[in-house]
Amino acid sequence: MTAINAVTDLSQDGEVAVLTLNSPPVNALSLTVREGLFEGFKQALASSAKAVVVICDGRTFIAGADVSNLADMLKDPSIEDIQKLMDGADRPVVAAIHGTALGGGLEIALCAHFRVAVPSARLGLPEVNLGLLPGAGGTQRLPRVLGPQKALEMITSGKPIRAAEALELGLVDELVAEDGLRAGALSFVRKALAGGRPLVRLRDRDDKVAPFRGKPELFETFRQATAKNFRGQVAPDWIVECVEAAVEKPFDEGLALEKQRFFQAAMSPQSAARRYYFFAERSAQKIPDVPAETAAREVKSVGVIGAGTMGGGIAMNFANIGVPVTIIEMKPEALEHGLSVIRGNYERSRGARPEETEKRMSLLKGSLDMADLKDCDLVIEAVFENLEVKKQVFQKLDQACKPGAILASNTSYLNLNEIAAATGRPQDVIGLHFFSPAQVMPLLEIVRGDKTSPEALATAVDLAKRIRKTIVISRVGPGFIANRVAMPRLTEINSFLLEGLPPARVDKVLYEFGFPMGPFAMLDLVGLDVIADPPGHQTIRGRMAEAGRRGQKGGGGFYDYDESRNPRPSPAADKIIEDFRIASGAAIKEVTDEEILERSLYLEVNEGAKVLEEGIAMRASDIDVALINGYGWPVDRGGPMYYADQIGLDKVVAKLKEFELKYGPQYKPAPRLERLAAEGKKLTGKS
Ligand code: NAI
């Protein structure tokens, strides 16, 4: 065996050269890995070997580019240099795939003549998630294996496919035994040599694309069908353009177009925001004073208290991963109702198979007796939002649960420390704040009480990964992170109405910024009766609820709705708004769209700065993760903290001061924001 460099070995197995990469954790295409591959292929092809197998040690094949070091990404040898060697090979080259072949990893594999994989392998081009497109021939080679339709789906969704599907589609030539990749690859290549199997160079293949040449309808239809999904994003459109070029143009022309679009995408603010978010999501899982090796407790069974909106959704998360759940209610009817709602949710979910529903329902056991929680490793409370009620529940839990069980509350606003103090084991008490609907929304805020132990935190983080939630860690404070930061904007919409702005105009401005819906449409969806008006302070939303306008679920809200829940302007709602405005003596104001946007967003920025100052959030980027996953903040904008940094904190502060004079003290800049602006610094750290 010859060491090519620190991460690459070249060995000979009979007539076959085996090039092995070992660059933990994921064999990403760092400069060293590229050097190893380039040099390794050169030597293998210069040797007397009759074939070359490229394979990886560790848990995966090459899982993509190494995005952590942009400067290194631009150094030679490039991925393309390696691909040229592979394309020029005069003997079989086989990529042996396990784990994930993603991005640049799959693009390398696409330059091999053949691909073999273990059944658990997955293959994909996820660049679109980072606002990019594949930049090493992926948009040109993949359509030549899969045909344009499937290639479009795979590249614009960014979703990897499983090995079995890859085999069916011809992306993989053979599946080999799960624990015998190297042997399987060697035996495949020997068969190929013995049978004189012709070498397939994907750049030369035409059979899958030729039938679609001169037929732009396919691409037009795809563009139309995905327009709403990809609203405002630049990369998907360029992907379609490049795949179309793969069909219409010679390989090298398509490749040149891909390169041009790749660099344009890489320079775009969207991609910068998405790359920022990619790292933000990962760093949100790190808790500086809880070492990564802190042992998480095993959670094999879960209890949920309350079978209401949240309790039911929370229980579904665990049934979905095969963990049995005991659900406690006060009355049999409530329990029965809760379970039937869960069943309905399963039956209505896309692609639901009856046996799957039954399997999941069989994991859910209802009970009226907390003593039935005695064996649970974790209990999540989701009863009414009332401190006294919650304290009583936790007192009972303290008695019912075994030592070491984690006791969690799903409270949205209440003081977790007071809840924990109702037990004799505050170290085991934690907040697990799900968002509604809990079985759908990606965010989980893990709330850390003053006495919550590192083990309880580590267990919660581990569990969140199992149920595939995106997490942020919050300290105790009213509304924690997401609700707290979003609230001022949702409160300010009352002022918008008093200034005479129609709900549809405000909604349009925020929709066009990239939110899935504007604030009024969102309140209609959530229900206007969900939040009570603060004492002594009436809002138009509260008045609507009183008048029986509870939103989409009944009576309409700021809009009227037809049977399919399509909104249309509502004269009745407008009258409530107008009456309220006149009674309060508020005067109509001229407000520009720009001002609507700035006022909405800067209120969040300001609240975020307060949350940071108070130590409720550990990092500005955690706030962005919370708002993107909990409140639909467009990821292409990076979240409120990142967005403010891009605008410039001095500009944000100047605007807030202007708004403070014009519209009131709710716009007073947070001290932290003013300080950072004066120092020329950023919220997200880098100055
Ligand atoms: P809900 O009113 O739909 O459900 C509460 C359920 O708990 C009811 O079925 C009630 O019968 C049951 N319950 C009350 N006391 C109980 C007890 N002592 N033992 C057993 N069951 C009891 O309320 P929802 O919306 O599910 O909220 C529950 C909790 O989740 C609250 O703390 C709320 O703040 C929090 N939350 C709510 C969100 C939402 O959007 N609805 C979002 C995130 C958190």
Side-chain angles (χ1 to χ4, degrees):
M1 188 149 74
T2 325
I4 300 285
N5 67 6
V7 300
T8 323
D9 284 320
L10 185 61
S11 63
Q12 193 84 18
D13 193 309
E15 296 174 322
V16 183
V18 181
L19 189 56
T20 310
L21 277 179
N22 185 9
S23 178
V26 294
N27 292 306
L29 287 162
S30 62
L31 180 60
T32 324
V33 167
R34 295 199 305 275
E35 283 168 348
L37 277 170
F38 185 71
E39 203 42 49
F41 272 118
K42 248 183 20 194
Q43 290 189 21
L45 294 171
S47 76
S48 59
K50 294 231 167 82
V52 188
V53 168
V54 56
I55 191 167
C56 292
D57 277 344
R59 58 182 159 97
T60 177
F61 191 75
I62 304 163
D66 183 1
V67 280
S68 64
N69 190 337
L70 270 184
D72 265 5
M73 273 174 89
L74 299 173
K75 291 188 185 148
D76 286 341
S78 64
I79 301 181
E80 224 181 334
D81 293 332
I82 300 162
Q83 291 177 316
K84 281 194 182 131
L85 280 180
M86 296 173 78
D87 266 343
D90 55 356
R91 61 204 95 168
V93 176
V94 176
I97 299 169
H98 74 301
T100 45
L102 296 180
L106 180 57
E107 289 175 299
I108 292 270
L110 285 170
C111 280
H113 301 109
F114 308 106
R115 285 154 294 281
V116 300
V118 297
S120 63
R122 289 183 306 141
L123 300 86
L125 294 171
E127 288 83 350
V128 72
N129 296 326
L130 297 182
L132 299 170
L133 49 151
T139 64
Q140 302 306 298
R141 290 191 179 87
L142 202 65
R144 286 175 161 82
V145 199
L146 304 183
Q149 179 68 34
K150 186 70 202 174
L152 281 174
E153 285 165 20
M154 228 177 120
I155 309 175
T156 57
S157 75
K159 284 202 191 101
I161 59 170
R162 297 186 180 285
E165 189 182 355
L167 178 72
E168 210 170 289
L169 295 169
L171 179 56
V172 158
D173 298 282
E174 195 169 287
L175 291 191
V176 302
E178 192 64 51
D179 54 355
L181 179 60
R182 186 186 158 106
L186 284 167
S187 113
F188 174 89
V189 78
R190 289 196 173 106
K191 270 187 293 180
L193 283 170
R197 190 165 171 165
L199 304 187
V200 188
R201 237 176 35 148
L202 284 183
R203 54 175 294 147
D204 302 333
R205 237 179 107 172
D206 197 41
D207 56 311
K208 291 282 184 181
V209 288
F212 300 94
R213 204 158 289 146
K215 292 185 183 152
E217 314 83 68
L218 169 81
F219 298 96
E220 224 13 76
T221 313
F222 187 83
R223 278 200 182 91
Q224 279 168 13
T226 54
K228 197 157 168 237
N229 252 356
F230 297 139
R231 176 168 67 97
Q233 294 182 46
V234 294
D237 214 40
W238 286 337
I239 290 169
V240 181
E241 186 191 10
C242 289
V243 173
E244 190 162 13
V247 173
E248 295 294 340
K249 300 196 167 143
F251 182 84
D252 286 318
E253 270 182 50
L255 205 60
L257 175 70
E258 180 196 87
K259 189 170 238 128
Q260 182 197 339
R261 292 306 190 207
F262 174 82
F263 280 111
Q264 271 177 288
M267 301 304 288
S268 71
Q270 281 184 9
S271 178
R274 282 181 177 252
R275 278 177 275 142
Y276 158 81
Y277 174 74
F278 178 84
F279 290 109
E281 195 183 295
R282 272 150 194 80
S283 65
Q285 300 177 9
K286 299 192 185 109
I287 317 173
D289 59 331
V290 177
E293 58 277 10
T294 307
R297 292 183 200 150
E298 234 186 323
V299 176
K300 286 197 205 147
S301 62
V302 170
V304 171
I305 311 195
T309 312
M310 294 307 291
I314 292 169
M316 288 173 77
N317 278 284
F318 294 98
N320 291 349
I321 58 159
V323 170
V325 185
T326 305
I327 307 178
I328 306 289
E329 257 295 346
M330 292 189 295
K331 296 208 179 84
E333 310 82 71
L335 192 56
E336 214 168 288
H337 177 71
L339 286 168
S340 75
V341 170
I342 296 177
R343 177 178 283 280
N345 281 337
Y346 275 134
E347 284 169 352
R348 271 196 311 279
S349 64
R350 228 170 6 135
R353 294 206 313 267
E355 62 274 23
E356 276 296 313
T357 298
E358 291 314 319
K359 199 172 109 197
R360 287 167 196 201
M361 289 307 295
S362 73
L363 288 165
L364 304 175
K365 203 181 94 199
S367 165
L368 302 174
D369 185 0
M370 283 222 207
D372 285 339
L373 299 174
K374 65 181 187 322
D375 296 323
C376 290
D377 301 310
L378 162 77
V379 177
I380 305 172
E381 164 278 312
V383 304
F384 307 128
E385 186 77 337
N386 175 306
L387 188 60
E388 285 317 309
V389 175
K390 294 213 189 242
K391 277 170 140 176
Q392 280 169 22
V393 167
F394 272 76
Q395 264 168 15
K396 286 191 202 148
L397 276 179
D398 197 13
Q399 278 146 29
C401 294
K402 66 184 182 188
I406 309 254
L407 311 182
S409 174
N410 180 47
T411 178
S412 316
Y413 288 92
L414 299 175
N415 187 325
L416 185 78
N417 292 326
E418 291 188 39
I419 296 174
T423 73
R425 42 172 130 173
Q427 73 282 2
D428 291 332
V429 176
I430 198 164
L432 291 180
H433 181 214
F434 290 79
F435 287 71
S436 183
Q439 72 278 21
V440 176
M441 290 291 284
L443 183 63
L444 178 64
E445 281 184 338
I446 298 180
V447 184
R448 176 179 194 177
D450 290 348
K451 298 197 173 153
T452 306
S453 70
E455 291 74 25
L457 276 164
T459 308
V461 172
D462 185 61
L463 197 70
K465 281 188 194 148
R466 287 173 63 197
I467 58 173
R468 295 198 195 89
K469 294 290 181 196
T470 303
I471 58 164
V472 292
I473 315 280
S474 175
R475 285 283 189 179
V476 176
F480 309 115
I481 299 176
N483 286 350
R484 160 98 182 261
V485 173
M487 198 44 73
R489 172 162 76 82
L490 295 178
T491 307
E492 186 63 359
I493 61 177
N494 200 57
S495 311
F496 285 157
L497 296 175
L498 292 179
E499 290 158 21
L501 292 169
R505 193 173 147 214
V506 177
D507 278 354
K508 183 162 176 278
V509 169
L510 285 141
Y511 177 79
E512 281 172 0
F513 178 76
F515 282 95
M517 60 182 86
F520 293 103
M522 192 185 108
L523 281 173
D524 275 2
L525 180 68
V526 173
L528 301 191
D529 55 341
V530 169
I531 319 165
D533 276 345
H537 181 84
Q538 255 217 334
T539 65
I540 295 174
R541 178 187 46 71
R543 184 66 63 82
M544 294 251 184
E546 269 170 30
R549 300 188 69 85
R550 295 182 301 128
Q552 284 196 23
K553 65 184 169 189
F558 290 101
Y559 301 91
D560 283 334
Y561 293 88
D562 64 19
E563 281 98 67
S564 324
R565 299 204 167 189
N566 294 313
R568 56 171 192 272
S570 165
D574 292 348
K575 180 158 190 328
I576 295 177
I577 296 169
E578 192 55 10
D579 288 350
F580 193 102
R581 193 184 63 74
I582 292 167
S584 67
I588 286 184
K589 292 189 180 147
E590 287 286 328
V591 185
T592 63
D593 284 359
E594 195 185 359
E595 214 169 80
I596 293 174
L597 187 68
E598 287 169 343
R599 284 170 66 186
S600 301
L601 303 183
Y602 295 176
L603 277 174
E604 290 194 343
V605 173
N606 207 33
E607 199 66 24
K610 292 179 197 166
V611 163
L612 264 185
E613 183 89 67
E614 293 164 25
I616 305 288
M618 289 185 284
R619 325 167 175 88
S621 60
D622 290 0
I623 298 174
D624 287 336
V625 172
L627 272 290
I628 287 172
N629 291 286
Y631 275 91
W633 243 86
V635 64
D636 287 323
R637 307 279 190 175
M641 304 287 103
Y642 176 86
Y643 179 73
D645 282 344
Q646 307 314 303
I647 298 284
L649 297 187
D650 51 344
K651 293 205 183 81
V652 174
V653 168
K655 275 287 174 193
L656 281 167
K657 286 184 174 159
E658 186 190 318
F659 295 151
E660 187 186 357
L661 288 176
K662 220 162 143 186
Y663 299 110
Q666 67 274 34
Y667 288 98
K668 187 178 171 44
R672 172 108 158 196
L673 204 56
E674 282 203 87
R675 202 175 60 238
L676 289 172
E679 291 169 358
K681 289 193 176 147
K682 294 189 170 189
L683 280 161
T684 55
K686 290 149 274 158
S687 52

